[in-house]
């Protein structure tokens, strides 16, 4: 079924609650696993339908935040979502406390019980009003960014549409574009500060009510970080500073030399080559045609997957007014299909987001046999391995998208994945500081960001830009507002994806089957178990980051020579 034909109807909340409570009572009274399983299956059928309705609203609201019907429905889910969550919590509570849990593990993976235990730690009826407030604040942030209309080049442009100008080969143009983009955030500085201050306080309030010292401590449960600890993440961030930041300094200095500059400024960082970045050849429809050819040639599985996406129009890719910024993939459980949301703007980022979100979507497709909606996809850090690896697996087909500039794209893309690692660690470190100091003022938060930025990204030069020098870059980062602590996941996954790339480059023929096996597992195993199953080295191991960076530095030097010839 085409996405536009998928029917949304608001659930009858009372009827759903009554039916679910009746099933929960049956589960509570179930004397053994054989009695438990069929009733459990019925609850999952109901929950899949509920999630489908919620996801349809999420997609259609983000596609057009000015659509009054879906704005109203989005507000409904902001209010009602925590009430439905309460029923899920009751389901977990019953299941994890069953004396015959060992028998339940014959059909229900241990990861589901681990997720349930995390959920039980992070929910109570006492925090429902706080959850509703948090939902409304997150929606307000998304709507604020979507409202941006910037007067530039005789046009009114949203934030995504400013992207090509910010990569202009004319330095004065890209500086003017960058400053116009930043001016939107400066104009709304008080609003961004107010929304975030309220989010920090409501999240901290929830954490304290639930018995945590602060929201940082609670976040390990909200993010389902199973199999590792805060100390592991702290060591990871330190390793990134030690082994990756020095490499990024080399990458940005090489960029400075290519651009012929004495000093690289904040508005230069998006331009990789003096005569221009690699630019996709073709409009959105043509990019989809290239993607279809690529995935048909990549494997039988990816060929079938892309046909499903194309035939059913399971994406919305073009940027436009009142559309939320960013890109994402989500699953529509009842229809058994994924959906990709993006904001194409004519830059190489269009290809990045297409291949990245296609990786997530392909995982949804490959794990279609998993009926439990809680474990159809991995936890966040595991899911990002799927998407980031797909970006690398697409390299052999980049000539379709970029023609003679394919090597230029490959070089810039790999360099960007390396440069991302310190930034990802910075975002995580910043959030830890913010949520362990919930009474900080907005000014103190900004000062913290700038201090950490100088540690993780010492090459950033904000001379002439008061807002960024003050420490406000993070206003642009959706995750900080809408998905707290969902960021170190990208660092963990990127190091794993880079290993998949290196295995492919080194001729390891097992890499693709390991990748497919990883996708099929979905969330039936935790992150550390998935890494082991995929025959990858854990990012938490002391030498992993050093090994990966040493090998990629050699690859980059060779590729840069090819890229400069493009």
């Amino acid at each position: 079924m085409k996405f536009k034909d998928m029917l949304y109807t608001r659930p009858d909340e009372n009827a759903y609650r009554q039916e679910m409570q009746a099933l929960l009572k049956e589960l509570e009274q179930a004397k053994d696993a054989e009695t438990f399983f069929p009733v459990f299956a019925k609850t999952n059928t109901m929950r899949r339908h509920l999630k489908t309705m919620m996801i349809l609203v999420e997609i259609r609201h983000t596609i057009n935040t000015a659509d009054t019907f879906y704005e109203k429905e989005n507000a409904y889910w902001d209010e009602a979502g925590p009430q439905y969550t309460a029923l899920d919590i009751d389901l977990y509570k019953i299941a994890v406390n069953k004396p015959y849990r060992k028998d339940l593990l014959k059909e229900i993976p241990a990861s589901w019980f681990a997720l349930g235990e995390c959920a039980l730690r992070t929910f109570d009826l006492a925090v429902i009003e706080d959850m509703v407030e948090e939902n409304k604040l997150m929606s307000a942030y998304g709507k604020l960014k979507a409202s941006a209309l910037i007067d530039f080049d005789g046009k009114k442009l949203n934030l995504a549409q400013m992207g090509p100008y910010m990569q202009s080969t004319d330095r004065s143009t890209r500086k003017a574009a960058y400053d116009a983009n930043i001016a939107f955030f400066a104009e709304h500085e008080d609003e961004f500060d107010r929304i975030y201050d309220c989010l920090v306080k409501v999240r901290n309030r929830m954490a304290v009510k639930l018995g945590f010292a602060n929201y940082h401590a609670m976040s390990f449960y909200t993010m389902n970080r199973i199999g590792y600890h805060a100390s592991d993440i702290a060591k990871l961030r330190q390793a990134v500073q030690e082994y990756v930041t020095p490499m990024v300094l080399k990458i940005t200095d090489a960029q400075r030399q290519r651009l012929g500059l004495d000093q690289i400024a904040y508005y230069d960082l998006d331009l990789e080559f003096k005569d221009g970045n690699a630019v996709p050849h073709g409009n959105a429809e043509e990019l989809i045609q290239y993607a279809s050819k690529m995935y048909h040639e990549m494997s039988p599985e990816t060929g079938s997957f892309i046909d499903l996406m194309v035939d059913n129009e399971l994406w919305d890719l073009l940027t436009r007014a009142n559309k939320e910024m960013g890109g994402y993939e989500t699953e529509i459980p009842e229809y058994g299909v994924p959906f990709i949301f993006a904001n194409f703007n004519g830059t190489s980022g269009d290809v990045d987001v297409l291949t990245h979100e296609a990786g997530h979507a392909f995982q949804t497709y490959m794990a279609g046999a998993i009926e439990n909606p809680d474990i159809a996809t991995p936890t966040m850090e595991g899911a990002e391995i799927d998407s980031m690896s797909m970006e690398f697996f697409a390299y052999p087909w980049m000539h379709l998208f970029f023609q003679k500039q394919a090597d230029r794209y490959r070089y810039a893309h790999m360099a960007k994945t390396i440069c991302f690692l310190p930034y990802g660690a910075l975002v995580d470190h910043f959030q830890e500081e913010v949520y362990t100091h919930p009474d900080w003022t907005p000014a103190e938060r900004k000062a913290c960001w700038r201090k950490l930025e100088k540690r993780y990204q010492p090459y950033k030069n904000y001379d002439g830009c008061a807002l960024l020098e003050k420490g406000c870059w993070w206003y642009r980062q959706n995750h900080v507002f809408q998905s707290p602590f969902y960021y170190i996941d990208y660092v963990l996954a990127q190091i794993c994806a880079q290993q998949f790339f290196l295995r492919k480059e080194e001729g390891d023929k097992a890499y693709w089957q390991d990748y497919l096996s990883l996708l099929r597992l979905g969330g039936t195993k935790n992150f550390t178990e998935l890494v082991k199953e995929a025959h990858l080295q854990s990012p938490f191991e002391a030498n992993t980051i050093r090994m990966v960076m040493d090998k990629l530095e050699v690859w980059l030097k060779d590729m840069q020579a090819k890229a400069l010839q493009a």
Side-chain angles (χ1 to χ4, degrees):
M1 182 183 290
K2 287 179 167 45
F3 174 73
K4 64 183 176 62
D5 297 324
M6 294 179 184
L7 181 65
Y8 168 74
T9 53
R10 183 190 289 190
D12 182 328
E13 193 173 336
N14 289 331
Y16 180 90
R17 182 183 295 106
Q18 289 174 12
E19 188 174 351
M20 182 60 78
Q21 286 175 339
L23 291 173
L24 292 175
K25 187 173 182 179
E26 285 188 56
L27 288 177
E28 205 164 18
Q29 295 173 347
K31 301 299 183 185
D32 52 39
E34 287 69 26
T35 311
F36 186 95
F37 288 137
V39 183
F40 182 68
K42 290 179 183 178
T43 67
N44 284 334
T45 298
M46 287 184 62
R47 294 167 69 233
R48 281 164 65 86
H49 175 72
L50 189 77
K51 186 176 180 181
T52 298
M53 296 303 103
M54 181 182 70
I55 292 296
L56 288 175
V57 168
E58 176 188 339
I59 296 169
R60 288 170 179 161
H61 176 64
T62 54
I63 284 172
N64 181 9
T65 60
D67 183 309
T68 54
F69 175 80
Y70 282 106
E71 182 176 25
K72 183 179 178 181
E73 292 308 298
N74 185 68
Y76 164 77
W77 285 98
D78 281 348
E79 291 270 2
Q83 303 291 342
Y84 291 119
T85 299
L87 293 168
D88 287 346
I89 294 299
D90 288 340
L91 172 61
Y92 281 128
K93 195 178 296 182
I94 292 166
V96 301
N97 291 315
K98 282 297 183 185
Y100 48 82
R101 181 160 157 178
K102 185 182 291 185
D103 295 327
L104 295 177
L105 286 168
K106 293 174 184 177
E107 290 194 21
I108 306 173
S111 62
W112 186 83
F113 288 95
L115 292 174
E117 286 162 352
C118 286
L120 290 170
R121 289 292 310 275
T122 57
F123 184 86
D124 189 273
L125 293 176
V127 300
I128 283 184
E129 288 185 12
D130 298 315
M131 293 172 71
V132 171
E133 181 181 345
E134 181 189 26
N135 286 343
K136 291 179 178 179
L137 288 164
M138 291 189 293
S139 292
Y141 169 79
K143 191 165 186 178
L144 176 58
K145 282 184 71 179
S147 73
L149 280 178
I150 300 168
D151 289 315
F152 198 81
D153 193 26
K155 307 168 188 173
K156 288 192 177 292
L157 305 171
N158 65 24
L159 295 174
Q161 290 167 328
M162 292 296 293
Y165 295 99
M166 292 161 70
Q167 296 180 16
S168 172
T169 55
D170 179 74
R171 200 177 193 206
S172 61
T173 298
R174 65 178 180 267
K175 182 181 187 303
Y178 222 110
D179 289 346
N181 184 291
I182 294 300
F184 168 78
F185 292 94
E187 180 184 353
H188 297 280
E189 181 177 2
D190 289 344
E191 284 182 79
F192 284 110
D193 282 342
R194 180 193 62 78
I195 291 171
Y196 193 59
D197 191 65
C198 291
L199 281 168
V200 170
K201 286 180 168 52
V202 72
R203 287 166 181 160
N204 186 67
R205 188 162 66 241
M206 282 192 283
V208 171
K209 285 181 182 179
L210 292 166
F212 295 96
N214 51 57
Y215 189 76
H216 172 248
M218 178 175 162
S219 73
F220 260 70
Y221 295 90
T222 61
M223 291 304 301
N224 300 310
R225 303 212 185 281
I226 302 163
Y228 57 96
H229 307 284
S231 58
D232 296 312
I233 288 181
K235 290 175 186 175
L236 176 80
R237 293 194 308 237
Q238 185 58 43
V240 167
Q241 286 186 62
E242 188 173 348
Y243 300 117
V244 187
T245 295
M247 188 169 168
V248 174
L249 286 170
K250 293 178 186 178
I251 290 171
T252 52
D253 190 57
Q255 181 183 5
R256 177 192 64 78
Q257 293 177 49
R258 290 195 305 274
L259 298 178
L261 300 173
D262 293 329
Q263 189 174 37
I264 197 163
Y266 63 94
Y267 49 84
D268 298 316
L269 291 170
D270 289 341
L271 183 67
E272 290 288 344
F273 299 94
K274 194 170 186 177
D275 57 345
N277 291 351
V279 176
H281 174 74
N283 57 31
E285 289 184 5
E286 289 169 315
L287 294 187
I288 290 170
Q289 290 173 14
Y290 305 150
S292 182
K293 178 175 173 58
M294 172 177 71
Y295 285 124
H296 274 280
E297 293 179 0
M298 189 179 288
S299 76
E301 295 87 354
T302 49
S304 299
F305 154 72
I306 199 66
D307 286 344
L308 175 79
M309 299 296 293
V310 172
D311 294 344
N312 295 285
E313 299 171 3
L314 296 170
W315 39 37
D316 188 289
L317 304 175
L318 297 177
T319 189
R320 56 184 172 273
N322 296 311
K323 183 177 179 180
E324 281 206 9
M325 296 296 99
Y328 65 78
E329 180 273 346
T330 190
E331 305 79 41
I332 310 174
E334 216 162 30
Y335 295 95
V337 296
F339 186 91
I340 293 176
F341 172 99
N343 277 276
F344 280 10
N345 61 6
T347 69
S348 62
D350 296 349
V351 177
D352 295 344
V353 76
L354 181 60
T355 56
H356 179 96
E357 302 305 342
H360 284 307
F362 185 44
Q363 187 279 318
T364 297
Y365 175 79
M366 291 298 292
I370 301 174
E371 294 187 359
N372 187 325
D374 301 320
I375 53 174
T377 58
T379 50
M380 300 301 190
E381 71 284 73
E384 296 302 341
I385 302 175
D386 308 332
S387 55
M388 291 175 159
S389 298
M390 182 58 80
E391 294 180 47
F392 295 129
F393 296 155
Y395 275 12
W397 288 272
M398 285 302 105
H399 63 281
L400 297 173
F401 298 90
F402 295 99
Q403 297 184 344
K404 292 181 180 179
Q405 294 184 318
D407 282 334
R408 183 165 286 195
Y409 169 80
R410 293 181 190 108
Y411 170 81
H413 177 270
M414 180 60 79
K416 186 167 62 176
T417 70
I418 296 168
C419 293
F420 167 78
L421 295 173
Y423 175 69
L426 158 65
V427 171
D428 183 74
H429 198 158
F430 170 68
Q431 292 185 96
E432 179 176 335
E433 292 295 331
V434 165
Y435 286 105
T436 53
H437 299 90
D439 295 324
W440 270 358
T441 64
E444 287 173 313
R445 294 185 193 114
K446 295 169 192 173
C448 173
W449 174 271
R450 192 67 185 107
K451 178 182 176 182
L452 291 173
E453 197 172 36
K454 289 176 180 177
R455 186 189 306 178
Y456 286 96
Q457 298 181 298
Y459 58 87
K460 282 202 165 181
N461 169 21
Y462 293 141
D463 286 351
C465 186
L467 190 78
L468 296 185
E469 186 57 56
K470 189 191 294 186
C472 296
W473 176 275
W474 53 274
Y475 284 0
R476 301 152 55 109
Q477 191 62 62
N478 294 4
H479 301 70
V480 172
F481 289 80
Q482 296 178 318
S483 305
F485 289 99
Y486 180 8
Y487 221 70
I488 200 68
D489 311 75
Y490 292 111
V491 176
L492 290 163
Q494 190 65 271
I495 296 162
C496 293
Q498 288 167 341
Q499 290 181 68
F500 262 135
F501 169 77
L502 291 169
R503 286 177 59 184
K504 182 177 183 296
E505 286 291 295
E506 292 165 359
D508 180 350
K509 294 180 180 179
Y511 84 92
W512 182 251
Q513 288 306 316
D514 281 347
Y515 178 66
L516 293 182
S517 296
L518 181 70
L519 303 187
R520 292 187 184 103
L521 285 169
T524 61
K525 293 184 180 295
N526 67 40
F527 171 71
T528 55
E529 291 169 337
L530 289 175
V531 170
K532 188 175 181 180
E533 289 281 343
H535 302 109
L536 301 172
Q537 200 167 307
S538 170
F540 297 121
E541 291 179 16
N543 293 322
T544 300
I545 295 179
R546 179 193 291 180
M547 176 272 291
V548 171
M549 290 303 113
D550 285 349
K551 290 184 177 183
L552 290 181
E553 186 168 16
V554 174
W555 185 90
L556 268 184
K557 285 178 180 177
D558 179 59
M559 185 53 67
Q560 178 172 292
K562 295 178 182 177
L564 288 170
Q565 295 170 9

